[in-house]
Amino acid sequence: MSNLLHFTLGALLEDTARRFPDNDALVYPDRGLRLSYREFDALCDRVAKGLMAIGVKKGEHLAIWATNVPEWVVLQFATAKIGAVLVTVNTSYKSAELEYVLNQSDSTTLFLVQGFKDTNYVETVNTVVPELTSAPFGQLACAKLPFLKNVIFLGGGAPAGMLAYAELEKLGEKITDAELAAVKASLDEHEVINMQYTSGTTGFPKGVMLTHHNLVNNGFNIGECMKFTEQDRLCIPVPFFHCFGCVLGVLACVTHGSTMVPVETFNPEAVLKAIEAERCTAVHGVPTMFIAEMEHPAFRKYDLSTLRSGIMAGSPCPIEVMKRVIRDMHCSEITITYGQTESSPGITMTRTDDPIELRVASVGRALPDVEVKIIDIETGAALPPGKQGELCTRGYHVMKGYYKMPEETAKAIDGDGWLHTGDLAVMDENGYCKITGRIKNMIIRGGENVYPREIEEFLYTHPKVADVQVYGVPDAKYGEQVMAAVKIKDGVSCSEEEIKDFCRGRIANYKIPYYVKFVDEYPMTASGKIQKFKLREMAIRELRLEEAETA
């Protein structure tokens, strides 16, 4: 029986605020900010009116370029309440990428913070939009970005040409409740409400169009699988611009009346502090975040005993890391979620009561109301349990398509509605899936298919290895050789030969890394995905393999 919800994002929040008005909705302990669901919903209404006051109409695209600030969560619902589409911009983008997204998405409005890490967003925007500083607010005419009209600053004292976010609420006072209600009444749950640009590990980023129906139901089912109730409190250190933050985090909470405790920018100690201060019952993160938290010198001084669950996702989850999270962070019900932006994002998930063997060795089974099958890469035929092929999925969670890219959409979603993930997987007879790699990540060495994930899992059992990434590099004789980029644990030393010796006799010779490189960090997307193609490019340069690549 289907348990799908039929809410718009705005109606969902209003329903939760009716059911749990006094429950904490949004808490930033370091800012002293604490909003109940009643207060949070009322604030979203005021900001929605402010957007109407500056002329934002249903269906318009509004981009947000910001870290996990409180305004981000408010805008996620305020835009949805008037049917405007929130376009999420990667916090690590630079000027060319920002220009591409604003242009490709036809965004009329940009919200931004001062900056992030080494990028000053205000300066970057002024470079991309030189007309901004001399244009009165709302009258911007940008040659390169003809749709862009408004730039709104999330902070005090707006720079030239921008509107201070605080002014939005004031401007909204001229919009009546009846006017807002009329817009809400015109919305449909199957309309696009969110656009996220895929990380762009290959080619130009594509704008994934997601609907109210996609997001509300994925958030709800994710929360169900973690057994969330109004008693749960989730620490969210993963970025909001990615589905991990705004769906698996925000919407898993809002669908259940749970409390959101975001961390503005990832810092392992800030996460530990927030969990202790707010007695969080769950925490999300990519494996590298969990590793950083547990390896932090102050880890033992924080009380994490209230933790129960959470999600580890975003990249393959090493078994050893998973065991440590269960043991040392008290997350006995930690889950693994697998998916991609195109599927809102969750496809499969482990359950809190799955035996640990399944939770560490698989990415779980299909979420409720979601279909999953494994197909033969050559023929497209469905494969039986135990056979490796491409994982495909169908259901309420599949995107509407890529914005203005019908050919790319047709490549991703077939005529029967199946989304082709590009991921290699094996499904067992109970429906539990194991991701074995990306079709593109597969290494072919001398005719043998080598799956990086298998070698990574093996090397994680080495006592000195903290993290490892395996990928293929060109080779004149074999086509490709196996390379491992290894992070070793603090305070130990390790040699290339030690790593190879550890493998000899334990995994097939053709799987043993031919090259071993020791690294302190990996090139990553802002959402925590390790960019193996960059590791490969670096290796080609450092090892002078350019000729082998073209051979």
Side-chain angles (χ1 to χ4, degrees):
M1 193 187 84
S2 171
N3 287 313
L4 293 177
L5 302 179
H6 297 283
F7 285 118
T8 61
L9 249 70
L12 168 75
L13 176 58
E14 286 154 21
D15 182 69
T16 302
R18 272 195 299 274
R19 291 189 296 137
F20 308 108
D22 300 318
N23 239 31
D24 283 345
L26 186 63
V27 179
Y28 281 77
D30 54 334
R31 285 178 174 241
L33 175 72
R34 189 176 302 273
L35 294 171
S36 69
Y37 268 101
R38 181 195 290 113
E39 293 165 333
F40 179 62
D41 182 45
L43 175 58
C44 293
D45 271 349
R46 292 196 299 274
V47 174
K49 286 179 176 180
L51 295 172
M52 290 172 68
I54 62 167
V56 174
K57 300 279 190 287
K58 174 182 169 177
E60 270 188 45
H61 292 181
L62 280 56
I64 181 164
W65 195 24
T67 49
N68 288 8
V69 291
E71 295 89 344
W72 212 114
V73 199
V74 174
L75 285 164
Q76 185 175 348
F77 290 93
T79 53
K81 278 173 180 272
I82 61 168
V85 179
L86 192 65
V87 178
T88 65
V89 183
N90 190 312
T91 51
S92 293
Y93 275 1
K94 307 291 189 201
S95 58
E97 296 153 318
L98 175 71
E99 184 179 332
Y100 170 81
V101 167
L102 291 176
N103 192 24
Q104 206 279 332
S105 67
D106 300 327
S107 289
T108 65
T109 301
L110 171 66
F111 298 94
L112 75 157
V113 291
Q114 181 66 51
F116 175 63
K117 289 189 174 169
D118 61 345
T119 307
N120 183 314
Y121 289 1
V122 173
E123 283 177 11
T124 304
V125 168
N126 286 334
T127 303
V128 173
V129 189
E131 302 92 337
L132 179 63
T133 50
S134 56
F137 177 76
Q139 294 176 40
L140 178 62
C142 175
K144 284 188 290 193
L145 301 168
F147 279 84
L148 190 64
K149 295 288 173 278
N150 311 308
V151 180
I152 298 172
F153 186 66
L154 306 179
M162 302 186 196
L163 180 75
Y165 172 84
E167 293 296 312
L168 265 188
E169 276 188 69
K170 290 181 195 158
L171 291 170
E173 289 168 7
K174 61 178 87 158
I175 303 292
T176 66
D177 289 347
E179 287 171 294
L180 177 58
V183 177
K184 288 179 183 177
S186 73
L187 307 181
D188 182 275
E189 63 177 303
H190 295 290
E191 289 165 340
V192 173
I193 201 60
N194 184 289
M195 218 154 86
Q196 311 214 6
Y197 279 78
T198 54
S199 296
T201 46
T202 54
F204 281 110
K206 299 184 279 285
V208 176
M209 297 187 288
L210 301 171
T211 66
H212 297 273
H213 189 70
N214 290 149
L215 300 177
V216 166
N217 283 292
N218 209 253
F220 174 71
N221 282 311
I222 293 287
E224 288 290 281
C225 289
M226 286 190 287
K227 294 193 175 140
F228 265 15
T229 71
E230 71 276 11
Q231 302 297 315
D232 280 290
R233 305 173 73 80
L234 172 66
C235 182
I236 313 174
V238 290
F240 288 149
F241 74 78
H242 189 272
C243 276
F244 199 170
C246 68
V247 184
L248 278 61
V250 171
L251 291 177
C253 287
V254 175
T255 49
H256 290 80
S258 310
T259 303
M260 300 170 268
V261 184
V263 174
E264 284 182 40
T265 56
F266 178 71
N267 169 297
E269 192 163 15
V271 175
L272 299 170
K273 269 184 185 157
I275 292 167
E276 180 181 85
E278 287 302 316
R279 304 191 63 71
C280 291
T281 60
V283 59
H284 286 354
V286 297
T288 48
M289 287 180 172
F290 282 103
I291 291 168
E293 288 150 21
M294 292 185 294
E295 305 252 310
H296 194 276
F299 175 70
R300 298 275 168 207
K301 83 173 206 196
Y302 289 98
D303 178 5
L304 310 180
S305 61
T306 54
L307 283 177
R308 168 185 70 80
S309 187
I311 294 173
M312 199 191 295
S315 58
C317 306
I319 289 168
E320 293 306 311
V321 176
M322 185 78 163
K323 286 178 176 169
R324 282 179 66 197
V325 170
I326 291 169
R327 184 186 69 227
D328 299 343
M329 293 182 76
H330 310 282
C331 288
S332 58
E333 298 180 10
I334 189 83
T335 60
I336 298 265
T337 305
Y338 158 76
Q340 52 187 213
T341 309
E342 289 88 340
S343 57
S344 308
I347 299 172
T348 68
M349 189 166 176
T350 60
R351 308 310 200 255
T352 56
D353 52 0
D354 279 339
I356 182 148
E357 297 74 37
L358 270 178
R359 281 194 280 150
V360 296
S362 82
V363 292
R365 54 191 162 92
L367 285 163
D369 292 296
V370 162
E371 292 179 82
V372 172
K373 68 175 179 179
I374 310 295
I375 65 164
D376 185 292
I377 296 166
E378 304 297 325
T379 67
L383 293 171
K387 295 287 184 189
Q388 177 176 266
E390 183 183 16
L391 189 146
C392 297
T393 187
R394 182 167 69 177
Y396 73 82
H397 60 314
V398 173
M399 66 172 177
K400 228 169 190 176
Y402 296 118
Y403 186 61
K404 297 194 303 190
M405 292 185 178
E407 300 87 0
E408 294 294 329
T409 302
K411 279 187 214 166
I413 303 170
D414 67 26
D416 293 322
W418 289 96
L419 172 70
H420 291 246
T421 64
D423 286 327
L424 292 166
V426 176
M427 189 193 292
D428 72 14
E429 57 283 355
N430 297 315
Y432 282 80
C433 297
K434 183 181 273 195
I435 305 300
T436 48
R438 286 285 297 166
I439 290 172
K440 294 193 217 47
N441 272 350
M442 188 171 73
I443 303 165
I444 303 177
R445 182 195 178 277
E448 294 277 6
N449 288 353
V450 180
Y451 300 99
R453 176 74 193 273
E454 182 188 349
I455 303 168
E456 287 163 0
E457 287 291 4
F458 173 74
L459 287 174
Y460 276 118
T461 64
H462 190 295
K464 292 183 178 179
V465 171
D467 208 348
V468 59
Q469 297 297 319
V470 172
Y471 47 101
V473 293
D475 184 80
K477 182 177 180 183
Y478 292 103
E480 280 188 298
Q481 282 287 11
V482 177
M483 182 159 183
V486 178
K487 266 192 200 178
I488 56 171
K489 290 178 178 168
D490 288 343
V492 297
S493 60
C494 189
S495 69
E496 186 173 333
E497 212 46 40
E498 249 181 282
I499 296 291
K500 292 181 180 178
D501 278 343
F502 184 75
C503 299
R504 289 189 182 107
R506 300 176 75 189
I507 58 173
N509 284 343
Y510 69 84
K511 295 180 185 174
I512 296 172
Y514 187 79
Y515 301 104
V516 177
K517 175 182 167 129
F518 294 98
V519 299
D520 293 320
E521 56 186 14
Y522 300 114
M524 285 197 188
T525 66
S527 57
K529 285 199 173 111
I530 291 162
Q531 295 171 303
K532 286 192 178 181
F533 75 101
K534 284 199 176 168
L535 286 169
R536 178 185 165 96
E537 287 167 1
M538 284 154 58
I540 289 167
R541 282 197 308 274
E542 289 164 13
L543 299 168
R544 299 199 172 104
L545 300 174
E546 292 87 351
E547 274 186 36
E549 191 182 30
T550 53

